[in-house]
Amino acid sequence: MRIFAKLITTLLLAASSSLAAPSKGCAYKVKEEINPPRGWTKHASAPADHLISLRFGLPQENFRTLEKHLYEVSDPAHSRYGQHLSKEEVEALVTPHPDSLSAVNNWLAGFNLKEDLNRSPAKDWVTIKVPVSLAEKMLDTKYYIWRHTESGDELVRTTSYSLPIDLHDHIEVVQPTTIFGRFRPAKSTISFIEDGDTVSASDLSNAEKIVAGESGVTVDASCNTTITVTCLKQLYNAVGVVPSGDSRNSIGVTGYLEQFANIQDLQSFFADQVPAAVNSTFKFESVVGGLNTQNLSQAGDEANLDVQFAFGISNPVPATFFSTAGRPPFNPDVRTTTNTNEPYSDWLDFILKQENPPHVISTSYGDDEQTVPQSFANRVCAGFAQLGARGVTLTFSSGDNGVGDGDANPATQKCITNDGRNATRFIPLFPAGCPFVTSVGGTASVPEVAVSRFFSGGGFSDYFARPLYQEVAVSQYLASLPKGTYAGLFNPHGRGIPDVAAQSDRFRIFLGGRIASIGGTSAASPTFAGFVALLNDARIKAHKPPLGFLNPLIYSIGASTFNDITVGHNSGCGTTGFNVTKGWDPVTGLGTLNFEKLKDVITSPFVL
């Protein structure tokens, strides 16, 4: 690592020293401005003493170098494959230039903001809690209470903010200002199974067997109506796979919006589906005051689904559930309330400080990409890249609305742009469109098809260009489309979504002490993450490092290990969306996992 350390020092010293601190009384210039967001109306002026946690993102001096390292350590054809960076090495690469640190410090000091500054480990984020009146002065703006017409959600936001001209090179983004996302879980309907209809998972497995499509594996016929851990291990060719529980392996699940993972329900689930896991549990991590409510009546359907299947598949791999505080809607007239509705920021602040984050982490939440300002989306995505460089696999659900927006009915989705043009446009999801995460779409039935009770989110990012690792696969798909298909409705140069898929409907969970059936791509992400934990166990047994950022692997030598899904589509915006086809497609990605095949690839002596 001496060479690496010397490289970091050289980069930092060589960085331009021409950036000057802003002069006193420097004129302000607009930094970011958006059109009034669709579906939100200006309700009233924000109370002057309402508190806001302002976050300032400083330029990450050597992010492109970090990105280069990320791709090298994630590419199985590279000699550095698996040689993930340390926390300190990553931080050294994204630490802002000293001139930027000085400029921002001096500017904040001009508002008597010297104490209580919360800095990220790399000092690339500075957070300060201030009243609206001071935020308006600092940003030369006016905050209002905005109300979402359909839901009644309220946010304190502005549609434009400014910074001193000399600070524009030192601050990339300030939030909460222009972000109007309606952060939500990616799940569809839930139904409870009546006591009289209750049968055990072992009873379900005694049904007749069927063949699961091209993989040739044998699956219980009951898996066409009820998905269990047994079904998933059969479908994805991992029957009998039991990881070692080695402390060097780990898995995590994120929880938001007051979604509480109930331990009693987890024990019931284990007794029903994974008897060997009974009496085991997960480590709980509170993020910015996230609660660990264990009242059965407050058990979260999303949280229970995620932990039961992610940890049920991977048990006894050490498991962690992260509970991040904050839930919209909120009352902005309550003076002591702070609600920024930027959960990824809070979670990233927390996880990037950890010396040993879980090796694979699943998230089943997202926003319409267009509701997240691109400057902020870029910075969040850069945070995910930092984790990837450190050897963390991040899986995200691709969403349940096909190519459309949040309206559950694909025929009535508005799919209107937020850029002032009010044009019809397919609506990709964020963070699923970040090129540094693995996006997971949804399938159903045996043999598998694209899920149709809701529609697997997919398409092409308007913010992020198509990464090199998926150039061949996505270009082949686009070349197969009839000329002019959906012209102008999507970005043919964007990052393709999703990367892979997994079952996502009729999952048998325990919720509030009762058996329930639930579906959505929120089930697909923790399912896939559970199998990644099993793959990491195989890597550890072979004396190899964990997989880390998966995409360069799965789009290259790992592509042939996925079961191609060729039936279905993802309706939305009044269209049938994209069709599923041979090879990669923007509905099910590369397809679903064949565990044994991919395990053989990643444990091969030819793969580092």
Side-chain angles (χ1 to χ4, degrees), residues 56 67 83 135 168 186 245 251 289 305 312 319 341 345 376 405 418 450-451 500-501 512 529 543 573 586 595 607:
F56 301 90
E67 188 176 27
Q83 297 177 29
H168 278 234
I251 183 172
L305 165 65
N341 194 22
S345 300
F376 186 67
D405 53 22
N418 262 353
V451 68
V500 296
H543 307 290
C573 306
F595 176 84
V607 177

Side-chain angles (χ1 to χ4, degrees), residues 113-129:
L113 297 173
K114 299 179 181 179
E115 308 295 332
D116 299 323
L117 298 178
N118 183 22
R119 301 182 190 276
S120 63
K123 300 181 180 179
D124 54 330
W125 284 101
V126 178
T127 306
I128 183 73
K129 186 175 290 187

Side-chain angles (χ1 to χ4, degrees), residues 150 184 368 400-401 404-415:
E150 293 182 7
R184 61 186 184 273
D368 292 342
D400 294 343
N401 300 298
D405 53 22
D407 191 327
N409 184 345
T412 59
Q413 291 172 341
K414 298 178 180 65
C415 304

Side-chain angles (χ1 to χ4, degrees), residues 85-100:
L85 307 188
S86 69
K87 175 177 179 288
E88 292 72 24
E89 288 168 341
V90 168
E91 289 169 1
L93 285 168
V94 298
T95 295
H97 190 279
D99 285 352
S100 290

Side-chain angles (χ1 to χ4, degrees), residues 530-555:
F531 285 104
V532 173
L534 299 185
L535 292 168
N536 280 335
D537 180 71
R539 291 271 297 174
I540 291 170
K541 288 176 180 175
H543 307 290
K544 299 175 184 288
L547 292 168
F549 177 42
L550 278 180
N551 295 6
L553 165 72
I554 62 178
Y555 279 93

Side-chain angles (χ1 to χ4, degrees), residues 385-449:
Q386 293 181 52
L387 288 169
R390 290 172 58 183
V392 177
T393 301
L394 297 171
T395 68
F396 280 84
S397 301
S398 69
D400 294 343
N401 300 298
V403 294
D405 53 22
D407 191 327
N409 184 345
T412 59
Q413 291 172 341
K414 298 178 180 65
C415 304
I416 303 299
T417 61
N418 262 353
D419 57 7
R421 297 182 299 126
N422 291 324
T424 300
R425 185 85 168 171
F426 291 165
I427 308 296
L429 204 67
F430 179 80
C434 170
F436 307 127
V437 307
T438 300
S439 174
V440 189
T443 62
S445 304
V446 184
E448 290 184 277
V449 299

